[in-house]
Amino acid sequence: MSLKAKLRGPATSIDDQVESFATERVPTNQRWPIPAISVVLLGGATAMFWFTYGAQHLFLVGFPLILIPIGYFVIGAVLTGMLTMRVASREGLSPNLLSRGLGFGSRGAAVTSFIYGINYVYYFLFEGTIVSHAIAIYFEIPIDSFNGTLIYAAFGLVTIAFAWRGMHAMSFLQKWGFPFFVITVGWAVYIFSRDRDLVGIGDWTATQPLTFAAMMSALSLANGQVIFQGLMATDYGRFASQRIRYRGTASIMIFELIPMLIVIGLGCFFGINLYSELSGPDAQSYAQDPGYLFVNVIGLLGVILVVVTQIRVNVMNLYSGSIALASGFEVAAKIKPGRPWWMFLIWGVGVLFYVTNVLNHLGTFLAIAGVLTNTWVLIILADYFVCRRWMKLGKPENVEFHEKEVPKWNPCGLTSLGVAVTIGAMGIIGIYPIYFASFVAMIVGPIIHIALTRATGGRYYTPKRTATQTEVNALDEADDDHDPLSV
C-alpha cells in the first residue's frame, strides 16, 4: 500500500460519508488504515483546549509535580483507548451502540448516549468560546456581549459545514490544517520568547500553596480526560481493521498523545510566563486563555491560528456528538432525521450557554465528566472482558445491538451506573471533596455491574422470549387442523 493510500480512507458513497454508520456496524470494506485514523485524530491532539489544560495543571501543583497527573493521564488514556478501540473495531460499532448489548439495553443505552453527547456539547462550547474570545479581543468587542455571542454562533455554523461529510471531510481538513498549526505556533513561541525574560523551568511554581487538595484536584483534572480521550479515539478507531491487535490500537493512542503532550507543555510555558507579567484578579484566567494569548503575541495571525485550529477540533466534537445523539434518539424517541442534523442541537445549546465563559469552570466540568463518562465506559469494558469473555455469561463476539436483539432495559448496567453516579454526585455538591468524586464513581460502578450480572446469570443480555411469527403460524395451523370447517 502506498503512503498516499495509507493516509486516506476507502472510497464510499456521499450518503455513507454523511451518516458515517452512526446506527449500524461499519462494513469490512469501509475500514481505514491506522495512519489515516491517526491523521484525523490530530485535530483533537492539537486543540487549544490543551494549552488551558496544561496551564491549569501547572498553576495547581507546579513543576515537577505536574508530571504525576500528566503521567497518570497518558498511561490511563493509552490503556483505556487500547481496550475500547479493540472492542469497537472488532465489532464495528460506536461506544453508543456497544452499550446496548454491553450492560444497558436499547433504551438504557440512550441514557449513556446522552451522557456521551453532553461531553461534546461542552467541548464544542469550550473550543468555540476560545475563537470568540480571540476575535472579540482583537476587534475590541466585549467578550460576553451580544456581538460576542453572534461571533460564536457564526463560526459554529461554519464548523457544521465542514463536519457534514464526517471522516472524509475531517481527513482533508487535518492534512492541511496541522502543518499550519505547527508553523504558526512555532512562530508564536519565537516572538513570545524574543520579547521577554522567560521564567526558568525551576521557577514554574504553583500559584497557590501546594497541598494534598491541590494535587488531588490536578489528578481529578487528569481523570476527567483519561477515559474520554480513549473514547473519542474509539469513534474513529471503530473504522480500523477487525484484525487489529492491541499494539495497533495502542499505537493509535500514542500517535495522538505525542502532539497532545507537546501542546500541554506549551500551555505550561505560555501560562506561567503570562501569569508572571499580569496582575489583578483575572490574571490567571487570561494566562490560561489561548484566545488572549495568541492575539497578544502575534496579532491578526493569532486570530487566524485560533479560528483554523478550533474549526479543526470542533468538527470532531460535532461529529462524535452527533453520532451519540443519533444513536440515543433513535431508540428513545424514534426520531431519525439523520446524523448531521443533530449537530444543530449541539450548536444551539452552545449558543445558549456561551455567556457562562466555560473556560473558568474546567475543573468542575471534568469532575462531572469523570463521574458520568468514566463510570459508563468502565462498566461496558467490565461487561465485555469480565462478564462475557471471562465469566462466559454472554457472547464474546458479535455483540447484539439491534433493538430486537437486546432488552429495552438492562437493570444491571443501569443500576450500577445510577448508584455510582449518585455517590459521585455527593462529591460534586460538596458532601465530600469534589476531587474524589470521579475516582469513587468509576470504581464502584463496574464492581456493582459485575456482581449483578453474575447474580442474574447474564439473562438480561437477551430480551424476554415472546412467541415468534413462526410459532404463531404453527399455532394457527394447529387450530385449523382441529377446525371441522377448515378445508
Side-chain angles (χ1 to χ4, degrees):
M1 183 183 292
S2 67
L3 177 61
K4 185 176 181 180
K6 289 180 179 179
L7 295 176
R8 67 183 181 190
T12 187
S13 68
I14 297 296
D15 287 342
D16 283 342
Q17 289 180 32
V18 170
E19 288 304 318
S20 205
F21 308 103
T23 57
E24 293 293 337
R25 291 188 193 273
V26 178
T28 54
N29 66 344
Q30 290 298 311
R31 301 305 178 111
W32 287 51
I34 290 177
I37 295 171
S38 297
V39 166
V40 173
L41 289 171
L42 283 173
T46 54
M48 292 290 167
F49 169 87
W50 299 113
F51 289 100
T52 303
Y53 189 75
Q56 288 206 5
H57 270 96
L58 188 68
F59 293 155
L60 281 169
V61 296
F63 184 87
L65 290 180
I66 189 177
L67 298 178
I68 296 174
I70 297 300
Y72 167 68
F73 162 64
V74 171
I75 295 170
V78 171
L79 287 176
T80 55
M82 176 181 71
L83 294 175
T84 55
M85 216 180 303
R86 179 75 168 87
V87 177
S89 60
R90 173 178 286 186
E91 300 295 333
L93 297 174
S94 68
N96 315 290
L97 296 182
L98 281 170
S99 296
R100 296 182 183 181
L102 297 182
F104 290 93
S106 60
R107 296 287 178 88
V111 175
T112 64
S113 293
F114 298 144
I115 288 175
Y116 194 26
I118 288 170
N119 282 274
Y120 289 107
V121 171
Y122 174 83
Y123 288 115
F124 180 79
L125 176 57
F126 188 99
E127 304 289 353
T129 296
I130 293 174
V131 173
S132 298
H133 284 191
I135 296 172
I137 290 169
Y138 185 80
F139 290 102
E140 299 182 349
I141 298 171
I143 287 174
D144 56 355
S145 66
F146 177 72
N147 287 336
T149 304
L150 286 181
I151 294 170
Y152 174 90
F155 277 92
L157 292 175
V158 171
T159 308
I160 288 176
F162 278 105
W164 198 266
R165 289 177 58 181
M167 286 271 285
H168 288 75
M170 285 186 284
S171 178
F172 169 78
L173 190 62
Q174 306 306 350
K175 285 174 185 175
W176 66 262
F178 179 69
F180 175 78
F181 174 87
V182 171
I183 294 170
T184 311
V185 170
W187 177 250
V189 171
Y190 168 73
I191 296 297
F192 188 86
S193 304
R194 184 191 64 184
D195 297 338
R196 288 170 172 81
D197 292 325
L198 300 177
V199 177
I201 195 168
D203 294 320
W204 288 14
T205 56
T207 58
Q208 300 294 328
L210 183 60
T211 61
F212 174 78
M215 176 55 73
M216 286 306 305
S217 295
L219 285 168
S220 180
L221 275 177
N223 205 41
Q225 282 292 312
V226 158
I227 288 179
F228 180 76
Q229 283 308 307
L231 196 60
M232 185 172 74
T234 298
D235 281 331
Y236 309 93
R238 67 193 168 101
F239 285 90
S241 168
Q242 287 179 297
R243 297 187 299 273
I244 194 171
R245 298 186 178 276
Y246 289 117
R247 65 184 180 186
T249 54
S251 67
I252 291 175
M253 288 305 305
I254 292 170
F255 290 151
E256 178 188 15
L257 287 168
I258 289 173
M260 191 179 293
L261 287 172
I262 294 172
V263 177
I264 289 173
L266 289 173
C268 296
F269 166 77
F270 284 125
I272 197 67
N273 279 283
L274 271 180
Y275 182 75
S276 68
E277 60 188 54
L278 295 173
S279 60
D282 296 326
Q284 186 167 317
S285 178
Y286 281 122
Q288 65 192 26
D289 184 348
Y292 175 86
L293 162 69
F294 289 108
V295 170
N296 279 275
V297 174
I298 52 176
L300 182 60
L301 182 59
V303 176
I304 297 171
L305 168 65
V306 171
V307 169
V308 171
T309 301
Q310 298 317 86
I311 288 177
R312 287 173 56 235
V313 67
N314 258 348
V315 294
M316 301 180 71
N317 292 328
L318 286 173
Y319 174 78
S320 292
S322 63
I323 286 176
L325 295 176
S327 173
F329 277 102
E330 181 189 39
V331 294
K334 304 298 181 184
I335 301 174
K336 302 179 183 180
R339 178 197 67 81
W341 296 101
W342 294 113
M343 296 190 294
F344 286 100
L345 177 60
I346 297 171
W347 170 81
V349 174
V351 171
L352 184 64
F353 286 96
Y354 165 76
V355 295
T356 61
N357 194 6
V358 294
L359 273 65
N360 293 331
H361 307 289
L362 179 60
T364 300
F365 173 78
L366 289 182
I368 296 171
V371 168
L372 295 171
T373 309
N374 292 16
T375 306
W376 158 50
V377 174
L378 289 180
I379 286 174
I380 65 175
L381 287 177
D383 191 285
Y384 184 82
F385 287 103
V386 179
C387 299
R388 286 178 178 258
R389 300 188 71 84
W390 182 36
M391 295 182 174
K392 303 187 185 304
L393 298 173
K395 292 195 306 180
E397 296 181 356
N398 297 318
V399 173
E400 309 88 347
F401 75 98
H402 285 298
E403 287 187 75
K404 63 182 180 181
E405 300 173 333
V406 296
K408 290 182 179 179
W409 307 98
N410 185 331
C412 298
L414 289 167
T415 301
S416 306
L417 181 65
V419 171
V421 168
T422 299
I423 295 172
M426 293 178 183
I428 300 295
I429 64 176
I431 295 178
Y432 62 89
I434 188 173
Y435 45 72
F436 287 129
S438 61
F439 293 100
V440 173
M442 65 190 274
I443 293 171
V444 169
I447 292 174
I448 295 176
H449 178 71
I450 293 170
L452 290 177
T453 304
R454 182 69 183 89
T456 56
R459 71 171 178 266
Y460 291 106
Y461 284 131
T462 55
K464 291 182 179 180
R465 190 173 182 274
T466 56
T468 64
Q469 189 59 49
T470 301
E471 291 170 331
V472 171
N473 292 340
L475 289 172
D476 289 342
E477 290 174 5
D479 290 340
D480 288 344
D481 289 341
H482 291 89
D483 186 350
L485 298 178
S486 63
V487 179

